[in-house]
Amino acid sequence: MVVESMSWYKTELPPGKVDQLDTDIDALWEGTGDIGFGPRFLGEIRKGQWHCELGGPKHSYKSFVYSEVVENPDDVVDGKVEIIGPELNDLAPETSLPFVQHLKLWGPLLNEDHTEFAARSIATGWIQTEGCGWIGSPDTVWLRISKAVAPRLSFRKICQIIRANAMTECPLVEKVEIKLIIGSPEVGGIQKIEELIEELKPKWDALQAKHGAVADEDVELFYGCTLCKMIAPNHACLITPAVVPYCGVLSFYTCKAIYDTDPFGYVFSCPKGEVLDPIAGRYSGVDEVAWEKSDHKVKRFNLHSAIKYPTTNCGCFEAAVFYIPQVDGLGVAARRNASTNTPIGMSFSKIAGIMSGGVQNHGFKGISYRSVKSPKFVIGDGGWDRIVWMQKDMKTELADAIPEEVYDKIATEDDCIDPGELEIFLREKRHPITRRFWKDEHPVPLKVPLPGREWPQEENSIPNS
């Protein structure tokens, strides 16, 4: 059935194809039996394997999966799915397009603070569907659908699976309406998708700002997630108001909502315990949990350090912080620019390869884009006074999060990549690192232990931190 699109947006869109799913709770998964679903289908869809790609680097990550909690139940038509643009079977193999997926959610006990909880179930709906792969957070998303599953799948069926999973994983959700806009040329391409994102993203950003106002000191319980232990068995993911997990999908409020709803699920609570180092972010309760959740591999976590006793890394981090010994500083690189070289002689792809898998790798820390916006971003290492190099695109996108007094002093690949040239750049720019961490205006590299090893006792503190 073809009808005119509902006026969800100021942006004008062409008509879409509308389907009405069966809203009987017993029919949630009806008709999806030929598509596998569950944790065992978690995986990546690699080059040569994918039939369709949505979002990702080919479109400068200009795509968005937006979950909106509404107050009025009359504002949601439960089970309604509208596809604007081509269906999956209309696409030639290896078609790559930008997209927006907008979900309206309602439940009598559902409120705005549950938004990311619900959004997590939307993401896992994609992630755990056979032949589908998801990388990134909702506003930097990169999806792929495999050639093997494409003949059995459709965008309509994916929307049904996502709705079913949302109502299964997040029982607070009782109504779901979905609009999926595929940015093909006839829909308006990337320009139309960008217009939609400009309308939707401020709402998402406002919610992040509200939740970001809560500090670690304001709460007694932290949380953690075990979902990535499927791919990194010794990984221990800890989440606090100031620490967003590397995937960028969860947050402190999300974890609180998940744990309150299902205390025996993949999210666990973590008492803070005694504050052992308020700057580095070390707590006795976190150390105890890290030891247990890492299968007795990691004894100590500094939540706000990339250099000494950082948290373990899984494999789905959006970006990475890495130590540059020649200048005693930190660099930042993102997955979306995976091939760009860095001052340590490796691209993000190679950096990710050596730091993944749940090992405590001193000098390397997985982060999300949201991590950079935290007021405690690597504060245990000196914060922004220690950041000396960033990929240009990432630096530009996150300009609002970088202190104005240091912004122009952080080098990018356009300025230099060679460590010797980086040292000259930092000295000429009078970067804070030259005064705060260098000795007599010369960097003194730290002797970083091998992964899993302990630091010498005399080097257990960061100078001038």
Side-chain angles (χ1 to χ4, degrees):
M1 177 173 60
V2 178
V3 300
E4 289 188 5
S5 299
M6 293 178 62
S7 56
W8 282 19
Y9 318 109
K10 296 177 183 177
T11 299
E12 186 176 346
L13 292 168
K17 298 177 182 179
V18 175
D19 274 301
Q20 178 60 51
L21 304 175
D22 190 335
T23 57
D24 187 327
I25 196 68
D26 293 328
L28 276 178
W29 299 91
E30 192 171 291
T32 65
D34 60 334
I35 300 296
F37 184 83
R40 70 190 182 95
F41 294 101
L42 178 71
E44 294 185 20
I45 312 300
R46 300 185 181 277
K47 183 178 180 180
Q49 297 177 333
W50 56 272
H51 173 84
C52 170
E53 178 180 70
L54 299 177
K58 292 185 179 179
H59 313 287
S60 301
Y61 290 85
K62 297 293 186 182
S63 293
F64 195 13
V65 176
Y66 178 55
S67 303
E68 178 182 9
V69 173
V70 301
E71 295 182 3
N72 188 345
D74 295 335
D75 290 339
V76 182
V77 180
D78 186 30
K80 183 175 181 178
V81 173
E82 183 175 8
I83 312 294
I84 299 175
E87 248 295 359
L88 183 61
N89 60 4
D90 296 328
L91 300 176
E94 300 192 8
T95 296
S96 181
L97 294 167
F99 80 108
V100 164
Q101 186 177 42
H102 185 177
L103 300 96
K104 287 187 175 181
L105 313 169
W106 177 86
L109 301 178
L110 196 67
N111 62 55
E112 187 181 54
D113 287 343
H114 297 126
T115 300
E116 288 191 344
F117 176 21
R120 177 72 169 184
S121 67
I122 306 316
T124 56
W126 276 102
I127 292 168
Q128 296 189 90
T129 295
E130 179 188 2
C132 294
W134 167 306
I135 293 174
S137 57
D139 59 343
T140 61
V141 66
W142 183 7
L143 299 172
R144 281 178 172 176
I145 299 170
S146 75
K147 294 175 180 176
V149 79
R152 292 178 277 129
L153 204 53
S154 66
F155 291 141
R156 184 264 186 202
K157 186 178 286 188
I158 288 175
C159 288
Q160 179 186 352
I161 291 171
I162 287 169
R163 173 180 176 268
N165 191 63
M167 298 178 77
T168 301
E169 279 197 2
C170 182
L172 301 178
V173 175
E174 294 190 11
K175 283 188 173 186
V176 181
E177 183 177 352
I178 304 176
K179 192 185 294 285
L180 178 61
I181 302 101
I182 306 297
S184 59
E186 60 269 25
V187 172
I190 186 67
Q191 181 179 350
K192 191 64 65 175
I193 295 300
E194 287 178 334
E195 290 174 10
L196 291 171
I197 292 172
E198 285 179 10
E199 286 190 44
L200 296 173
K201 199 165 184 300
K203 301 178 183 179
W204 178 263
D205 291 341
L207 183 62
Q208 307 312 308
K210 173 187 172 183
H211 290 170
V214 179
D216 289 357
E217 292 78 10
D218 298 330
V219 302
E220 291 302 321
L221 270 183
F222 294 156
Y223 296 94
C225 175
T226 61
L227 199 58
C228 284
K229 287 178 76 68
M230 292 182 289
I231 57 175
N234 298 329
H235 176 48
C237 184
L238 274 296
I239 299 148
T240 81
V243 179
V244 179
Y246 324 133
C247 61
V249 179
L250 282 174
S251 71
F252 177 80
Y253 267 94
T254 314
C255 290
K256 184 179 186 303
I258 295 173
Y259 183 77
D260 289 347
T261 305
D262 180 12
F264 303 104
Y266 61 85
V267 168
F268 58 89
S269 64
C270 172
K272 285 166 58 174
E274 182 184 355
V275 180
L276 302 177
D277 188 332
I279 303 299
R282 187 182 174 203
Y283 302 85
S284 63
V286 170
D287 283 356
E288 291 173 10
V289 168
W291 178 246
E292 293 301 323
K293 296 298 181 180
S294 69
D295 298 320
H296 297 174
K297 296 291 191 302
V298 179
K299 296 179 180 179
R300 176 189 300 184
F301 269 173
N302 288 334
L303 296 177
H304 309 309
S305 174
I307 298 176
K308 298 184 176 180
Y309 302 105
T311 50
T312 53
N313 302 298
C314 51
C316 55
F317 37 87
E318 292 184 302
V321 178
F322 52 90
Y323 182 63
I324 308 170
Q326 294 92 333
V327 295
D328 193 31
L330 293 171
V332 187
R335 184 182 298 275
R336 65 178 65 176
N337 297 308
S339 61
T340 302
N341 202 8
T342 71
I344 59 173
M346 293 185 285
S347 65
F348 174 87
S349 295
K350 292 183 178 179
I351 292 172
I354 67 170
M355 63 185 275
S356 301
V359 176
Q360 187 174 59
N361 203 322
H362 305 289
F364 294 91
K365 182 179 178 66
I367 60 169
S368 69
Y369 270 57
R370 293 166 65 188
S371 303
V372 178
K373 300 177 183 180
S374 169
K376 294 194 175 183
F377 175 58
V378 293
I379 196 171
D381 303 323
W384 286 103
D385 286 356
R386 205 68 176 271
I387 303 294
V388 297
W389 190 93
M390 293 180 74
Q391 288 173 333
K392 180 181 177 181
D393 289 352
M394 190 179 190
K395 179 183 173 183
T396 301
E397 183 173 342
L398 294 169
D400 290 346
I402 303 173
E404 185 177 351
E405 62 272 17
V406 77
Y407 184 85
D408 290 335
K409 298 175 175 64
I410 298 174
T412 72
E413 65 270 27
D414 285 356
D415 299 307
C416 55
I417 291 178
D418 178 79
E421 293 178 1
L422 177 58
E423 180 180 343
I424 295 171
F425 175 93
L426 298 174
R427 189 175 286 109
E428 290 178 346
K429 292 289 186 177
R430 299 295 295 166
H431 189 291
I433 196 172
T434 63
R435 302 185 300 275
R436 186 172 172 190
F437 293 98
W438 290 9
K439 307 295 184 183
D440 299 323
E441 296 193 355
H442 291 281
V444 180
L446 296 171
K447 297 178 181 178
V448 180
L450 293 173
R453 303 288 181 85
E454 293 193 2
W455 282 81
Q457 190 62 38
E458 66 274 12
E459 295 189 356
N460 268 339
S461 61
I462 301 288
N464 300 318
S465 63

